[in-house]
Amino acid sequence: QSKVMELHPVIVLLAVLLGLPCVPLGFAADDAMLRVRAGADLGFARLPPSRWDLFVFVRDDPAQRQALLESGMLSWWTAPHYRIGFLRPLSSITHALDFAMWPSSPAAMYVHSIVHFVLMLLAARAVFRRLLPKAPASLALALFALDDARGPVVGYLSNRNALLMATLGFLALWAHDRWRRGGWRPGAIVGPGAFAAGLLAGE
């Protein structure tokens, strides 16, 4: 059984190694929107920079919508009151840190995402160890960490919010279970707190 537990660091390391090829990929798709909202001048009309709400793209502003229509960023059939924005302040903070520290280095940003990936796997490991016997917990961690679905999350900067949400969700489960079955009273606060923080990281 002790040998089974030693597999956990190996699984996490292997998952990180599988994620490393994303580091040289550069910016893609919605990353351009984040860059503009963080202050980069990429020629997008009527997208003013903002440090803390990077995921709010089209506000309830008729003048902004009209400018976006005229620039071709919005199609002519866009609804008159169309808005698009996501409540992700915690995720926005991580991207604001990226653009403040290494604005021209997407590779550094990918490494930052991989750090959050490791934190998510450690949180998942804590939940699996708490709810499952040792061998099934290792298997669950391997199936979760090495699934190809992790690729689009780690390898796409704009998807970092999913890593934060999952990390905080696992933390909420771990704390709640430890409170209800183990009598750990701080879990009554940590669990709901982590869940609320997860909602501030993404939908």
Side-chain angles (χ1 to χ4, degrees):
Q1 292 292 331
S2 61
K3 292 182 179 180
V4 170
M5 295 307 297
E6 293 170 2
L7 289 177
H8 289 181
V10 175
I11 293 169
V12 173
L13 177 60
L14 182 56
V16 170
L17 291 176
L18 290 173
L20 285 179
C22 75
V23 172
L25 290 180
F27 297 115
D30 287 352
D31 296 342
M33 305 293 280
L34 292 184
R35 294 173 67 193
V36 170
R37 294 289 283 143
D41 184 7
L42 301 183
F44 287 82
R46 304 292 296 189
L47 283 178
S50 174
R51 189 170 294 273
W52 309 118
D53 60 350
L54 302 185
F55 292 92
V56 177
F57 304 119
V58 182
R59 305 186 311 276
D60 190 13
D61 180 353
Q64 184 202 27
R65 278 194 296 272
Q66 185 60 36
L68 292 174
L69 284 167
E70 292 175 357
S71 68
M73 287 191 64
L74 292 180
S75 301
W76 63 266
W77 60 78
T78 302
H81 300 289
Y82 175 79
R83 291 180 292 172
I84 180 168
F86 304 94
L87 183 64
R88 300 173 179 174
L90 293 184
S91 297
S92 290
I93 288 172
T94 71
H95 291 291
L97 177 63
D98 283 345
F99 291 115
M101 296 188 67
W102 35 74
S104 301
S105 177
M109 299 180 190
Y110 280 112
V111 171
H112 186 185
S113 287
I114 290 174
V115 170
H116 285 285
F117 179 49
V118 171
L119 293 175
M120 182 192 70
L121 294 180
L122 294 177
R125 172 180 179 265
V127 172
F128 296 149
R129 287 183 63 185
R130 182 151 192 89
L131 300 179
L132 299 170
K134 292 180 179 180
S138 292
L139 177 60
L141 180 63
L143 292 174
F144 177 73
L146 306 179
D147 191 294
D148 62 354
R150 304 291 84 77
V153 181
V154 179
Y156 183 26
L157 293 173
S158 294
N159 265 352
R160 185 185 296 160
N161 61 92
L163 296 172
L164 272 70
M165 285 189 293
T167 301
L168 293 164
F170 280 124
L171 177 60
L173 288 173
W174 173 83
H176 180 77
D177 184 74
R178 189 176 174 190
W179 167 45
R180 298 300 293 168
R181 293 200 300 154
W184 187 57
R185 291 186 177 181
I189 298 175
V190 174
F195 181 77
L199 294 177
L200 295 177
E203 303 73 44

